[in-house]
């Protein structure tokens, strides 16, 4: 062996995949919904043809238009996954009702390219009792599903809600403040969950960021991708992210759910000083957005 020049230690760049939930078109006209769908797909294509996982809520796309819009994601190579039909909050429903609602979305998406048996609970709420939690875990396995956990949770849906309200008031509103708030929020949350991952698991997992099919992302998804790349994060395909062993974890906590990193941290009992409940919600963003007049 010849001697080697020692390479300086470089911390491994964090890796992150994008996951897009709900496909709620908020009653938009077909032309507006089509345009939003095209713009989101275009932003991903423009970014090295990045592949995401789409978690589909059945009731939002239960129409010819809705199915056509989702199918384009499958045609473009993205994963099409299950996010229930009705988007119920599991703690408010019986296991039987909720389990049936999980299967109800399948006929809408199972023949599409990209259909993948990966499941995500609405609002990341996985059951508030041991029985309810474990029955769904068994049910999903029996039906061939793997979990579509979020590692980086965020409140993009709430920023979108406020941005749409502003646009309703005045379609000509300056949206620069919303864009900055959104980018800062996502990076802050990504940094938090990545730091927690390193503390709890001793490593940076392959992250999955939760965002939604919204006006906010129609406007700023390209900026989100650029931001992560500029900050030294590596954008990866969702399928690759999901091959990380963290997505097979079954943390023993109640209520079950939240970011999988949050849940694994909670299960150790050691991080209660940094774990708020819920992990993410509008209540944390509202005062800050109010103060900024957004
Ligand atoms: Zn959802």
């Amino acid at each position: 062996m010849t001697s080697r020049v020692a390479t300086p230690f470089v911390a491994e760049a964090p890796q992150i995949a994008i996951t897009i939930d709900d496909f709620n078109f908020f009653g938009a006209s077909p032309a507006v919904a089509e345009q939003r769908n095209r713009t989101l797909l275009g932003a991903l294509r423009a970014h090295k043809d990045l592949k995401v996982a789409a978690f589909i809520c059945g009731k939002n796309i239960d129409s010819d238009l809705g199915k056509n819009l989702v199918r384009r994601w499958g045609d473009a190579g993205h994963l099409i996954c299950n996010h229930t039909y009705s988007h119920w909050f599991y703690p408010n429903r019986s296991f039987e009702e909720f389990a049936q609602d999980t299967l109800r979305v399948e006929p809408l998406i199972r023949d599409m390219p990209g259909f993948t048996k990966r499941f995500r609970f609405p609002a990341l709420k996985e059951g508030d009792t041991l029985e309810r939690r474990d029955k769904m875990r068994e049910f999903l396995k029996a039906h061939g599903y793997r979990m579509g956990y979020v590692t980086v949770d965020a409140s993009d849906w709430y920023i979108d809600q406020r941005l749409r309200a502003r646009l309703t008031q005045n379609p000509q509103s300056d949206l620069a403040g919303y864009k900055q708030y959104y980018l800062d929020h996502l990076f802050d949350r990504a940094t938090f969950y990545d730091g927690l991952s390193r503390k709890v698991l001793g490593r940076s997992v392959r992250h999955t960021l939760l965002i939604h099919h919204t006006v906010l992302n129609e406007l700023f998804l390209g900026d989100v991708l650029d931001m992560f790349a500029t900050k030294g994060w590596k954008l990866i395909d969702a399928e690759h992210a999901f091959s990380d062993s963290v997505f097979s974890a079954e943390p023993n906590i109640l209520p079950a759910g939240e970011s999988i990193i949050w849940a694994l941290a909670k299960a150790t009992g050691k991080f209660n000083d940094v774990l708020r409940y819920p992990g993410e919600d509008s209540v944390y963003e509202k005062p800050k957005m109010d103060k900024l007049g957004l």
Side-chain angles (χ1 to χ4, degrees):
M1 286 284 284
T2 52
S3 64
R4 290 187 188 176
V5 177
T7 45
F9 174 77
V10 180
E12 206 186 329
Q15 302 180 53
I16 192 162
I18 308 294
T19 66
I20 301 187
D21 284 19
D22 291 3
F23 281 58
N24 185 348
F25 300 104
F26 305 104
S29 69
V32 168
E34 292 254 12
Q35 182 58 50
R36 187 174 309 149
N37 205 56
R38 232 184 345 257
T39 302
L40 289 168
L41 283 165
L44 295 165
R45 204 180 313 117
H47 205 99
K48 300 177 189 161
D49 208 15
L50 188 68
K51 304 300 186 201
V52 308
F55 285 85
I56 306 299
C57 168
K59 70 173 180 183
N60 291 336
I61 60 112
D62 196 355
S63 64
D64 287 342
L65 173 68
K67 282 183 282 185
N68 282 335
L69 295 183
V70 173
R71 183 176 290 277
R72 298 213 190 114
W73 290 72
D75 288 340
H78 302 291
L79 304 181
I80 307 294
C81 309
N82 186 330
H83 192 40
T84 76
Y85 186 88
S86 302
H87 210 269
W88 285 331
F89 194 73
Y90 183 27
N92 295 343
R93 302 281 163 170
S94 70
F95 159 73
E96 288 75 15
E97 238 182 333
F98 190 84
Q100 284 314 304
D101 198 60
T102 295
L103 297 184
R104 197 179 162 198
V105 71
E106 277 191 1
L108 298 171
I109 56 176
R110 71 180 162 215
D111 296 329
M112 293 185 187
F115 173 63
T116 304
K117 284 196 165 186
R118 217 169 258 286
F119 181 78
R120 179 172 290 168
F121 285 87
L124 313 184
K125 299 295 178 272
E126 300 179 18
D128 54 341
T129 67
L130 198 67
E131 189 193 17
R132 216 193 286 261
R133 181 194 77 190
D134 290 353
K135 273 186 160 178
M136 264 314 283
R137 282 180 178 171
E138 287 313 306
F139 176 85
L140 289 168
K141 279 180 213 156
H143 287 268
Y145 276 91
R146 286 170 296 169
M147 289 300 298
Y149 291 127
V150 168
T151 71
V152 179
D153 192 7
S155 295
D156 74 314
W157 59 273
Y158 179 66
I159 303 170
D160 173 71
Q161 191 179 302
R162 293 184 61 135
L163 175 139
R164 282 185 290 112
R166 177 61 57 88
L167 285 174
T168 303
Q169 274 173 10
N170 175 10
Q172 307 304 322
S173 297
D174 177 7
L175 301 176
Y178 292 89
K179 172 177 159 183
Q180 197 56 51
Y181 190 88
Y182 181 36
L183 295 177
D184 291 347
H185 171 64
L186 286 188
F187 195 67
D188 178 66
R189 296 296 79 206
T191 305
F192 171 75
Y193 287 106
D194 188 51
L196 196 56
S197 168
R198 290 169 197 265
K199 282 184 204 130
V200 177
L201 299 169
R203 68 188 182 98
S204 176
V205 298
R206 289 184 208 132
H207 287 287
T208 48
L209 172 69
L210 167 60
I211 60 172
H212 295 79
H213 193 298
T214 54
V215 176
L216 180 75
N217 286 310
E218 177 183 9
L219 292 167
F220 304 130
L221 177 58
D223 298 295
V224 168
L225 301 176
D226 288 346
M227 175 194 70
F228 277 110
T230 303
K231 302 259 194 194
W233 286 55
K234 189 177 174 203
L235 288 153
I236 56 172
D237 291 346
E239 193 164 20
H240 179 52
F242 280 131
S243 68
D244 192 305
S245 60
V246 76
F247 297 99
S248 307
E250 293 189 331
N252 185 17
I253 58 163
L254 287 170
E258 311 305 294
S259 146
I260 185 64
I261 305 297
W262 189 102
L264 289 166
K266 188 77 183 173
T268 68
K270 292 180 191 161
F271 296 92
N272 290 338
D273 53 330
V274 295
L275 297 179
R276 57 191 189 185
Y277 188 82
E280 304 299 327
D281 206 353
S282 55
V283 292
Y284 310 126
E285 308 313 316
K286 184 178 186 304
K288 293 185 271 177
M289 294 189 78
D290 285 348
K291 203 170 166 191
L292 292 167
L294 297 173

